[in-house]
Amino acid sequence: MSTPASRTPASRHHRRPRGEGQWALGYREPLNKNEENKKNDDGLNVRQRIIDVYAKRGFDSIDPADLRGRMRWYGLYTQRRPGIDGGKTAILEPEELDDRYFMMRVRIDGGQLDLAQLRTIADISNEYARGTADLTDRQNIQLHWIEIESVPDIWERLEAVGLSTTEACGDTPRVILGCPLAGIDTDEVLDATEQIRELKERVIGNPAYSNLPRKFKTALSGCPAHCTVHEINDVAFVGVVNERGEAGYDLWVGGGLSTNPMLAKRLGVFVRPDQVGDVHEGVTGIFRDYGYRRLRHRARLKFLVNDWGVEKFREVLEQEYLKEPLPDGPAPEPPRSSRRDHVGVFPQKDGAFYVGFAPKVGRVDGDKLHQIADIAERHGCGRVRTTIEQKMVVLDVAPDQVDSLVAELEAADLRVRPSTFRRQTMACTGIEFCKLAIVETKTAAADLIDELERRLPSFSEPLTINVNGCPNACARTQTADIGLKGQLVVDENGEQVEGFQIHLGGSLGVDSGFGRKVRGLKTTAKALPDYVARVVSHYDDQKKEGESFADWVQRADEADLK
């Protein structure tokens, strides 16, 4: 029998190798379901269908490709149907997990809000979202229980005050992180407000960047505390001063967490403020054109950067996209504090003060948002900010108003001087609403805070506790002192119950790293307070002068970590 020509050794030798789906190399065929959906129709086009069709005809009229795909381009995810336990998360089909309601993410670039915007979100929460509102760890506010019929009116209200949900989700440039103190911090390297505005105008809603391989996260800040955690963003601009005394940015690329965490890498270039827009579009363009699209789990920029290395990435950026070289530049100064947030009372450069406060694990509601706006207004303040730590900041507080404003916030359980546990514990959405989650997170984290405050009232060292409902690390578990990844575990009775895999000693800053995994280190949700109190007590007893929890973990006996 003769061998078909297509199967001869020679033809196999000359067959084109399978690519990674990189457009720039000619691989544009639909390589997975997500890529096929995006090829069939730009996600930005779903907006008009929502307005003209779905909001009028109801949930059952929504095309499945829009429901579980393109609607994310406008910040909409179906939320988890109530009553489905974590053991079924990876077993059921998407349509079995879907509820008929949506999570809606309001993007807040740079965390910048005025009181009219805050009150608009509060009104939408109360009228359309059953009062729900969560501060996220990317400066957004998320609402739940949104019905498709309400979406056009919500958009109209948001857009009337300069807010939107455009590309708050999806394979797009997500919210642009910025320091909440931009323009007012006494020690900032430079004010990045104009650059954030420029990036938003250039890329958000722009069809040139609305079909990326996957989500694309940007940080841009001149903050000396490095509060935008540039180490774990796809692209980050970090304020620096070069040898000539000029303020500009150091460029980092390829950071990201989830199941394959990687730290961003410095390109070693100096970016002037007027170059930021072009450089950001260049990096975004590289991701669009060279990013991997064949396999969804490898479709983040970090994999390309890891494979190429910084030298090649810089070369492609300069030669193919910028058409000019960038000068070498300095690395950023170390963060000014081990707590890279803005909680407390501090002076602004203009003589006023800012006041940062901590809701519990970012959970607020419509009434609470109205209360925050009212407190700010009573004290003559017109601007508030969200942070990436699920916290908020009131700006422009006159010196004679500080004490009364702090008193009102504290009375509303918005802690200005919180315990370490309130200040540095965050939690993702969890199984209450998220279709990917395996365990409950928000209530577990809030209860953990209460219990630790009761058991360890004098503990005051910096300590991050990040609680995640699944392996995707939305709450940054790998970079926390104590990272808790939700999973089902077996309890002492042999029953399968909610619990957490424990990750210890992650950190960002001078010694960034993903910490230490101790084989088999898990806890049930019920036993979580006992475990955390025990390991924190061991650290408190054994720490050397100035030793961080992350440093102690690296030298501690395994027995003290269990």
Side-chain angles (χ1 to χ4, degrees):
M1 181 181 294
S2 61
T3 304
S6 62
R7 297 181 62 186
T8 63
S11 66
R12 286 202 304 269
H13 178 73
H14 293 293
R15 184 182 300 163
R16 188 182 189 191
R18 182 172 63 174
E20 289 276 11
Q22 296 162 286
W23 285 359
L25 301 182
Y27 297 99
R28 281 184 169 263
E29 67 273 14
L31 299 164
N32 59 52
K33 184 178 180 181
N34 298 87
E35 289 302 312
E36 185 173 358
N37 286 343
K38 290 186 289 181
K39 181 180 179 181
N40 290 340
D41 190 30
D42 192 314
L44 293 174
N45 295 334
V46 78
R47 176 186 171 99
Q48 211 56 44
R49 289 195 291 276
I50 291 172
I51 294 171
D52 294 340
V53 181
Y54 304 147
K56 294 177 180 178
R57 299 183 185 175
F59 186 89
D60 291 331
S61 70
I62 304 174
D63 184 315
D66 286 343
L67 182 67
R68 300 180 192 95
R70 301 183 192 100
M71 290 178 76
R72 297 175 185 178
W73 270 242
Y74 287 92
L76 293 164
Y77 283 90
T78 50
Q79 64 189 42
R80 187 188 191 93
R81 184 178 298 172
I84 300 175
D85 66 61
K88 295 186 173 66
T89 295
I91 298 173
L92 298 180
E93 294 298 320
E95 57 270 21
E96 297 177 284
L97 287 167
D98 286 333
D99 202 355
R100 298 172 67 86
Y101 299 92
F102 293 87
M103 177 276 285
M104 174 180 277
R105 183 176 295 157
V106 181
R107 67 177 297 148
I108 306 171
D109 294 277
Q112 301 179 8
L113 289 169
D114 60 33
L115 299 191
Q117 292 171 327
L118 185 60
R119 287 188 169 117
T120 296
I121 297 172
D123 286 338
I124 292 169
S125 168
N126 284 338
E127 293 177 39
Y128 296 116
R130 302 188 186 181
T132 58
D134 284 337
L135 306 173
T136 77
D137 64 357
R138 291 195 65 81
Q139 296 185 293
N140 299 307
I141 295 179
Q142 288 184 179
L143 310 174
H144 295 281
W145 301 109
I146 301 295
E147 296 177 303
I148 192 62
E149 293 86 351
S150 307
V151 171
D153 185 56
I154 293 173
W155 282 344
E156 187 174 333
R157 291 191 186 197
L158 289 173
E159 289 161 11
V161 294
L163 295 172
S164 84
T165 67
T166 304
E167 294 181 341
C169 311
D171 296 349
T172 65
R174 301 286 184 91
V175 67
I176 301 162
L177 299 186
C179 175
L181 310 183
I184 69 167
D185 192 304
T186 55
D187 300 320
E188 72 179 350
V189 178
L190 75 171
D191 178 2
T193 302
E194 284 303 316
Q195 285 79 60
I196 291 174
R197 184 178 295 116
E198 180 185 2
L199 297 196
K200 185 178 177 183
E201 290 174 354
R202 283 196 182 208
V203 303
I204 306 309
N206 182 347
Y209 305 112
S210 60
N211 181 357
L212 302 178
R214 279 196 70 186
K215 58 189 171 185
F216 185 69
K217 298 181 177 181
T218 300
L220 176 64
S221 174
C223 173
H226 297 178
C227 69
T228 58
V229 291
H230 57 275
E231 302 96 332
I232 53 174
N233 282 271
D234 292 283
V235 58
F237 297 81
V238 186
V240 294
V241 177
N242 68 13
E243 60 186 10
R244 294 190 298 275
E246 299 169 323
Y249 297 96
D250 188 40
L251 181 62
W252 296 58
V253 296
L257 298 179
S258 193
T259 51
N260 288 283
M262 299 183 195
L263 294 171
K265 298 176 174 61
R266 290 186 62 236
L267 287 196
V269 300
F270 180 80
V271 182
R272 299 191 315 267
D274 64 289
Q275 295 175 305
V276 166
D278 289 341
V279 172
H280 183 262
E281 284 199 64
V283 175
T284 311
I286 289 175
F287 183 42
R288 175 195 61 204
D289 301 336
Y290 287 98
Y292 303 150
R293 294 175 183 261
R294 183 172 66 87
L295 300 174
R296 186 78 174 162
H297 69 271
R298 275 180 52 82
R300 291 294 299 276
L301 183 64
K302 63 187 178 183
F303 293 102
L304 181 67
V305 173
N306 189 60
D307 290 347
W308 274 10
V310 294
E311 186 175 331
K312 180 176 179 179
F313 195 99
R314 178 175 176 175
E315 178 183 313
V316 172
L317 174 64
E318 292 175 335
Q319 295 184 7
E320 295 188 28
Y321 291 83
L322 300 179
K323 309 299 183 184
E324 63 177 355
L326 293 168
D328 293 343
E333 294 292 324
R336 66 183 175 191
S337 169
S338 57
R339 285 189 168 110
R340 294 165 67 173
D341 62 16
H342 299 294
V343 175
V345 178
F346 298 94
Q348 300 178 180
K349 63 173 62 173
D350 60 3
F353 289 80
Y354 70 84
V355 178
F357 58 90
K360 193 177 290 184
V361 295
R363 176 138 287 180
V364 287
D365 55 41
D367 290 343
K368 187 69 73 177
L369 294 177
H370 267 303
Q371 190 175 17
I372 292 166
D374 291 345
I375 291 171
E377 186 172 49
R378 276 196 296 273
H379 293 85
C381 308
R383 300 187 295 170
V384 295
R385 298 289 184 261
T386 56
T387 83
I388 71 156
E389 303 293 336
Q390 301 178 335
K391 310 297 186 292
M392 294 187 74
V393 184
V394 177
L395 306 186
D396 310 322
V397 186
D400 63 354
Q401 294 292 316
V402 170
D403 289 344
S404 56
L405 181 137
V406 169
E408 285 201 50
L409 289 172
E410 290 278 351
D413 196 28
L414 301 167
R415 301 293 173 77
V416 177
R417 300 180 180 91
S419 70
T420 284
F421 307 116
R422 167 76 82 100
R423 180 172 180 170
Q424 294 192 276
T425 298
M426 70 165 63
C428 73
T429 300
I431 202 170
E432 181 180 10
F433 298 117
C434 179
K435 293 179 294 182
L436 300 177
I438 301 168
V439 304
E440 198 283 324
T441 56
K442 288 286 189 182
T443 299
D447 291 346
L448 177 63
I449 291 169
D450 291 342
E451 191 63 18
L452 293 175
E453 287 179 339
R454 185 183 70 80
R455 297 190 192 188
L456 304 170
S458 62
F459 183 82
S460 60
E461 297 294 326
L463 183 83
T464 53
I465 303 174
N466 294 11
V467 186
N468 218 80
C470 77
N472 288 325
C474 296
R476 311 200 295 264
T477 46
Q478 295 105 324
T479 59
D481 287 310
I482 301 176
L484 302 166
K485 182 177 76 175
Q487 61 179 219
L488 298 180
V489 301
V490 176
D491 67 9
E492 66 276 10
N493 299 316
E495 301 290 329
Q496 197 173 60
V497 297
E498 290 192 359
F500 299 93
Q501 184 182 60
I502 299 163
H503 187 285
L504 296 172
S507 63
L508 294 174
V510 176
D511 298 311
S512 296
F514 300 127
R516 179 176 175 182
K517 294 180 181 178
V518 178
R519 184 180 298 275
L521 187 53
K522 302 175 183 179
T523 180
T524 65
K526 181 179 179 181
L528 179 61
D530 290 339
Y531 169 76
V532 177
R534 182 168 63 249
V535 75
V536 172
S537 294
H538 289 159
Y539 160 63
D540 207 26
D541 291 340
Q542 299 174 17
K543 68 179 185 294
K544 300 175 183 177
E545 183 69 27
E547 186 176 35
S548 69
F549 182 87
D551 288 339
W552 171 77
V553 164
Q554 295 307 314
R555 68 172 180 84
D557 292 337
E558 273 200 14
D560 291 325
L561 302 178
K562 293 183 176 180

